[in-house]
Amino acid sequence: MSGTAEPAVLQLRDYLCRRGGDEVFAPVDLHLVAGEIVWLTGANGAGKTSFLRGLMELVEAEHSQFRFCGTDLPAGRTQMNEHSNWIGHDAAMKAEFSIAENLLLDCQQRGIDPKCNVEEALVGVGLPGFADFTAGTLSAGQRRRAALARLLMRPAKLWLLDEPLANLDQASTGLLAQLMANFAADGGALILTGHGKLPELLQVRELHLEAPQWN
């Protein structure tokens, strides 16, 4: 059966980030399609976090092509902001607010209707009954899971996750790996970083960041 192929969720050409004017990693080409998980690898300091932050315009980045769902930047920036979920190292939760207040505030600030209610999202990340706990009382692993609950509440086509499995015990790691696998199986695209070995259920394509070539 013939038909027009869906455009890549994210297409990059000659993409790089800069720190103090210097290249952080060698230019990268990427063609990321729906249902695919890309695992960024590289030595410590190779620029994995910068790679993700550059996609969200949080650090200086440049490219010869940056296309989101078939639309080049800058026109595609609004679409990318609306349809991408970025979770960094910092849980970005107000310590004095409850988990429910933090999650609902996130949706309000984005002007979106949640895909599910707070308790459903917390069950999905292994934190049932935590809605009324204040963020400041949680352990590092619990804060990480609470932050990842945003993924279940925000509609998106692309997830950008910086070390999403850090500070998690084995059970939580398995639960959240399944969450990511389900997102890809449902047609989402995902880029993540992490150290060591990933859970086997995550079928990933590795993208290794190389050091820039100095002339």
Side-chain angles (χ1 to χ4, degrees):
M1 184 175 64
S2 62
T4 303
E6 289 289 329
V9 174
L10 185 65
Q11 189 168 348
L12 306 172
R13 185 176 301 157
D14 300 320
Y15 173 78
L16 60 86
C17 295
R18 293 186 180 276
R19 185 184 301 124
D22 294 330
E23 294 181 14
V24 179
F25 49 81
V28 171
D29 294 342
L30 174 64
H31 187 91
L32 177 67
V33 300
E36 188 174 26
I37 301 175
V38 164
W39 182 29
L40 287 182
T41 63
N44 288 337
K48 298 183 290 294
T49 294
S50 294
F51 185 105
L52 297 181
R53 290 174 61 83
L55 296 179
M56 300 306 295
E57 295 188 305
L58 299 174
V59 299
E60 181 184 357
E62 59 188 61
H63 50 81
S64 63
Q65 184 181 70
F66 190 133
R67 184 176 292 170
F68 181 78
C69 292
T71 304
D72 287 311
L73 298 192
R77 175 52 66 181
T78 299
Q79 291 184 40
M80 184 165 179
N81 289 341
E82 289 179 355
H83 298 289
S84 299
N85 283 335
W86 149 254
I87 304 290
H89 283 292
D90 187 351
M93 306 192 90
K94 293 182 180 294
E96 68 277 18
F97 284 15
S98 72
I99 301 307
E101 289 170 332
N102 272 287
L103 293 175
L104 292 173
L105 179 62
D106 176 73
C107 290
Q108 292 167 4
Q109 290 177 331
R110 289 170 172 263
I112 60 174
D113 294 324
K115 290 172 58 181
C116 63
N117 63 43
V118 169
E119 188 56 36
E120 288 171 332
L122 291 176
V123 168
V125 296
L127 289 177
F130 274 69
D132 294 329
F133 282 59
T134 56
T137 64
L138 303 184
S139 68
Q142 289 169 338
R143 283 196 300 273
R144 167 61 57 175
R145 281 184 281 165
L148 290 167
R150 295 180 176 126
L151 299 174
L152 295 174
M153 298 188 69
R154 305 172 182 166
K157 298 178 180 179
L158 173 66
W159 288 359
L160 304 172
L161 308 181
D162 196 7
E163 298 196 28
L165 304 178
N167 298 316
L168 299 183
D169 58 28
Q170 185 174 359
S172 298
T173 295
L175 181 66
L176 291 166
Q178 187 65 62
L179 186 156
M180 290 186 278
N182 291 345
F183 177 69
D186 290 339
L190 197 155
I191 306 176
L192 75 154
T193 70
H195 296 285
K197 186 178 180 181
L198 293 177
E200 292 184 0
L201 66 88
L202 290 178
Q203 301 299 309
V204 303
R205 172 163 65 93
E206 185 176 343
L207 176 59
H208 189 77
L209 297 184
E210 303 287 351
Q213 300 296 315
W214 305 107
N215 294 324

